[in-house]
Amino acid sequence: MSDIASPPVQPEPHGAAFPAGTVGRGLFWLAVVFSLFQIATAAHLVDMPSQITRAVHVGFLMALTFPLMAYAKPRSGLLTSLGWTLALAGVAVALYQWVEYRDLILRAGRPTDLDITVGVIALLTVFAAGYAMMGIALPIIAGLFLAYCLFGEYLPYPLNHRGYAFGQVIDHMAYGTEGIYGIPIYVSSTYIFLFILFGSFLERAGMIQLFTDVSMGFFGHRQGGAAKVSVVSSGLMGTISGSGVANVVTTGQFTIPLMKRFGYRAEFAGGVESTASMGGQIMPPVMGAVAFIMAETLDVPYVEVVKAALIPAILYFASAFWIVHLEAGKFALRGLPKDELPSPFRAVRERWMLLVPLAVLIYLLFGGYTPLFAGTVGLGLTVLLILGGSIVLGLPKGIIRVLFWICLGLVTAAFLNFGSMVLFAAVAALIAWCALSKGGRETLGLLRDSLGEGARTALPVGVACALVGIVIGTMTLTGAANTFGQFIVSIGEQSLFLSLVLTMITCIFLGMGIPTIPNYIITSSIAGPALLDLGVPLIVSHMFVFYFGILADLTPPVALACFAAAPIAKASGLRISMEAIKVAAAGFVIPFMAVYTPVLMLQPGGPLAEAIGFWPAVAYTVVKTVLSIGLWGVAVIGWMGRPLGWPIRILAMVAAFTLIAALPLTDEIGFALAALTAGLIWFGKGRTAQA
């Protein structure tokens, strides 16, 4: 039985994300308390009404965001004072919601002057937090929607509404479950926070090293091995992280320099890492935070979202892998000597227990359990694993260590019959055990740092969810989604393709300034119902929006993921973005194909499934998509066993696009052009060999 050594702990009781000194330590411990509060409410160790949980969650977000942002900038007395004032105001709003909870329910729709004052403060703090954390773009968008509530009655038809009093708008936005405390903040305070903690614990336990070693062992020696390692390791990281930019700055620190060392252009290396990292948000089982919001919005089991994402996610990474392979062939980039690489089987054998929480998480999610329960259990198992790995080092080698792991396994398995309290009792016992030894106390420090870092990582997501709640509140109050939806439907009656293109442009345009989560929430609430009216299955329309919200982080001019990779690659963010678009081509293709052939997302419907049956349609569509991706790679890289001229590349691109289109005879034409392309490549290869 292998043991898991505890990673070294930082000497300071907080990470680099917190300022040094007494203030930094105070904020760090506040973050730890925030994480413990979220764990306690998720595990029902503490039960309180959902409205109070959401309000306290936002209060913690405000209490941490403003001081951290103030201390992250050059010291200014005015800025620091403003930060603490806004933080205290955010906490006061949360306390008011808690203390006045029952009275607020009783006077819902009839707010007092004090209610309106506190509601205005709540809105101001959320807007300020959004600006401090993410810049001006999202606050401007949310502000425009709020202004529409207040002044939309003066707009011309059909943009106008009946008009709402100031107090009514504030009451709708700052109280109840339609504005700030709507579905986005509910999901942030439950699923998202828990899974961010889950990823934080696994990373500190050594999961990044395990994924890297496995990727290096399997692919490091192959053609273009360094870039293939990036694709695979970032895809694996996506199964526990779901944060594209976070993946770039973690796995990218290793993979980008590795790719450059083996001859890849700096721009291409950054593009590969950005594409693979953003793909983590669509890679089951955890996916990104959007997946949880989608499941809650559509009122479907989370496993349905995972099912819809599975084939597209595999195709997305297969596309990146293929383009990396062609680029390596074009420039004759070889891998590392096999004897210098780690053994993937040894890496799994030594750290196999790190995979147990992930395996249990997958089992529970696909077994019909809620994501909240699955995440709680997964987090509990990860903590047990870290604690047990420390304790077992102090036990004699041999049978005693084996018996320890067996007993721990039996205790944790009991949660299926006796609930998650068994897990928490075991965690408490192991914490007490670890507190008695030096190595154990270092492990407790590791857990403490994971709690603090997890809460810090969750801040941008939580603030975005609170601010975008104002957009949702505007939709529910004014029915604004109907206006834009009718516009899309009117275009779709003439051309569904144009409606899809308009939706895609909207997603990418919004993505130039706001993160994936608010981008998805805004565009899905507007475009989702409209696409449903045009006959697109609801989950497919939401996945369509989801994909292009992600791809917005790869698309110029903002390309957030690419600019995060730029300092690591030492290259221009815009040039990295152009390379990322080539590598991520499948991401632009798959959403359109899924609309016309929903079987690509394992959804019923579409003429193909009706004609030949569901599973044959799935197989046919996957084969067609793979062939299209293959042709696209040949076209953009210009290599297939030999350099290719522009005539063949253009032919390959035309063949790829005809396979994507869902028009009469386009498949037949696409297959014919694909065969012609393959024949020309083969014939040219033979002539090159003879020469």
Side-chain angles (χ1 to χ4, degrees):
M1 189 73 61
S2 60
D3 308 319
I4 300 171
S6 300
V9 184
Q10 300 177 32
E12 284 284 331
H14 56 78
F18 296 87
T22 304
V23 172
R25 284 192 291 272
L27 292 173
F28 168 79
W29 282 109
L30 180 62
V32 171
V33 172
F34 186 14
S35 293
L36 291 175
F37 168 78
Q38 294 297 158
I39 293 172
T41 53
H44 297 289
L45 299 176
V46 173
D47 278 316
M48 55 178 59
S50 177
Q51 183 70 25
I52 295 178
T53 302
R54 301 181 200 193
V56 173
H57 179 77
V58 174
F60 270 116
L61 292 174
M62 300 299 107
L64 283 168
T65 295
F66 291 116
L68 284 174
M69 293 298 100
Y71 280 88
K73 301 181 185 299
R75 292 299 298 275
S76 162
L78 178 61
L79 186 63
T80 303
S81 299
L82 180 61
W84 285 112
T85 300
L86 290 170
L88 291 173
V91 172
V93 170
L95 291 175
Y96 185 81
Q97 293 262 14
W98 193 341
V99 172
E100 293 288 309
Y101 169 67
R102 295 187 182 280
D103 291 336
L104 285 170
I105 292 176
L106 292 174
R107 60 176 181 262
R110 295 175 288 109
T112 65
D113 290 343
L114 182 58
D115 291 342
I116 294 174
T117 301
V118 173
V120 170
I121 294 172
L123 289 171
L124 288 175
T125 55
V126 168
F127 271 98
Y131 172 72
M133 186 64 70
M134 289 165 288
I136 194 64
L138 183 57
I140 285 179
I141 292 172
L144 289 174
F145 276 86
L146 184 60
Y148 179 72
C149 287
L150 295 169
F151 308 111
E153 62 183 306
Y154 302 111
L155 293 175
Y157 178 84
L159 299 176
N160 62 332
H161 56 67
R162 66 178 180 84
Y164 303 94
F166 179 79
Q168 184 180 2
V169 173
I170 298 301
D171 184 51
H172 186 80
M173 296 296 180
Y175 300 100
T177 57
E178 294 293 342
I180 294 174
Y181 307 107
I183 286 178
I185 209 66
Y186 164 71
V187 177
S188 171
S189 65
T190 50
Y191 312 145
I192 295 175
F193 197 100
L194 206 61
F195 278 90
I196 286 175
L197 277 180
F198 179 65
S200 176
F201 276 103
L202 278 179
E203 286 179 31
R204 286 181 176 266
M207 185 64 93
I208 292 179
Q209 188 62 47
L210 172 60
F211 285 159
T212 302
D213 286 349
V214 169
S215 304
M216 288 284 288
F218 278 121
F219 302 105
H221 63 287
R222 301 182 182 275
Q223 176 176 297
K228 291 176 180 176
V229 168
S230 172
V231 173
V232 175
S233 61
S234 295
L236 291 172
M237 274 299 298
T239 63
I240 64 168
S241 168
S243 172
V245 177
N247 279 1
V248 170
V249 298
T250 51
T251 59
Q253 296 286 353
F254 167 75
T255 58
I256 292 176
L258 181 67
M259 284 186 273
K260 289 177 64 179
R261 194 163 72 244
F262 280 86
Y264 282 100
R265 293 173 290 121
E267 296 85 358
F268 187 82
V272 169
E273 178 58 40
S274 301
T275 301
S277 292
M278 293 309 298
Q281 294 185 74
I282 58 171
M283 176 55 72
V286 174
M287 303 175 63
V290 170
F292 298 112
I293 296 176
M294 188 187 301
E296 197 68 31
T297 302
L298 299 178
D299 194 23
V300 298
Y302 179 72
V303 69
E304 290 298 317
V305 177
V306 170
K307 184 176 77 172
L310 184 59
I311 293 177
I314 294 171
L315 292 173
Y316 180 93
F317 280 97
S319 170
F321 200 87
W322 172 242
I323 290 179
V324 158
H325 178 79
L326 295 177
E327 177 84 2
K330 182 177 181 179
F331 293 99
L333 304 177
R334 303 291 175 237
L336 289 162
K338 198 167 185 178
D339 56 1
E340 295 181 13
L341 296 172
S343 166
F345 301 105
R346 181 179 178 184
V348 173
R349 188 168 62 249
E350 290 179 348
R351 299 188 184 92
W352 64 269
M353 293 197 67
L354 288 173
L355 300 174
V356 172
L358 192 59
V360 170
L361 178 70
I362 294 170
Y363 170 78
L364 293 175
L365 286 175
F366 281 85
Y369 291 90
T370 66
L372 192 59
F373 178 78
T376 304
V377 172
L379 181 61
L381 287 176
T382 305
V383 174
L384 281 178
L385 168 68
I386 296 172
L387 294 171
S390 174
I391 290 171
V392 80
L393 293 177
L395 299 176
K397 291 185 177 180
I399 189 66
I400 294 181
R401 293 190 180 188
V402 174
L403 289 174
F404 173 83
W405 286 118
I406 291 174
C407 291
L408 192 60
L410 291 173
V411 169
T412 54
F415 80 87
L416 286 174
N417 287 328
F418 302 104
S420 56
M421 290 303 298
V422 175
L423 276 179
F424 288 99
V427 168
L430 293 186
I431 287 175
W433 191 339
C434 283
L436 301 177
S437 67
K438 182 174 182 286
R441 287 191 291 273
E442 289 179 353
T443 302
L444 293 180
L446 168 73
L447 299 181
R448 172 203 63 204
D449 290 352
S450 297
L451 290 169
E453 189 62 33
R456 175 65 182 84
T457 304
L459 292 182
V461 178
V463 170
C465 286
L467 192 51
V468 84
I470 295 169
V471 176
I472 303 301
T474 301
M475 302 293 184
T476 56
L477 182 64
T478 67
N482 290 336
T483 303
F484 188 76
Q486 289 169 3
F487 177 62
I488 293 180
V489 170
S490 66
I491 294 177
E493 289 174 349
Q494 307 300 321
S495 171
L496 174 60
F497 181 76
L498 288 178
S499 292
L500 296 175
V501 170
L502 178 62
T503 304
M504 176 190 73
I505 293 172
T506 303
C507 293
I508 292 177
F509 178 77
L510 286 174
M512 289 181 183
I514 63 177
T516 306
I517 293 171
N519 188 349
Y520 161 77
I521 293 172
I522 294 170
T523 48
S524 66
S525 61
I526 295 173
L531 293 178
L532 179 64
D533 289 341
L534 294 173
V536 181
L538 192 57
I539 197 167
V540 173
S541 67
H542 279 247
M543 290 295 293
F544 184 92
V545 169
F546 182 17
Y547 257 82
F548 285 109
I550 291 171
L551 293 172
D553 281 339
L554 301 176
T555 308
V558 176
L560 185 60
C562 299
F563 277 92
I568 306 173
K570 295 181 173 60
S572 162
L574 287 177
R575 290 185 178 179
I576 290 175
S577 175
M578 298 309 296
E579 297 293 334
I581 289 174
K582 292 196 303 186
V583 180
F588 290 91
V589 169
I590 288 170
F592 282 92
M593 294 190 71
V595 168
Y596 290 103
T597 51
V599 292
L600 188 61
M601 291 185 177
L602 299 179
Q603 302 300 307
L608 183 65
E610 294 175 2
I612 65 174
F614 181 78
W615 288 110
V618 171
Y620 174 82
T621 305
V622 169
V623 169
K624 188 176 73 163
T625 309
V626 169
L627 183 56
S628 176
I629 289 170
L631 289 165
W632 172 259
V634 169
V636 297
I637 301 300
W639 190 89
M640 183 64 187
R642 66 179 181 87
L644 301 177
W646 277 107
I648 293 181
R649 294 173 69 174
I650 292 172
L651 181 63
M653 191 172 295
V654 173
F657 279 117
T658 51
L659 287 170
I660 295 167
L663 300 172
L665 298 178
T666 51
D667 282 2
E668 290 83 350
I669 295 172
F671 284 120
L673 292 177
L676 178 60
T677 303
L680 291 173
I681 292 173
W682 180 263
F683 177 72
K685 185 177 181 181
R687 291 180 58 184
T688 303
Q690 290 176 5

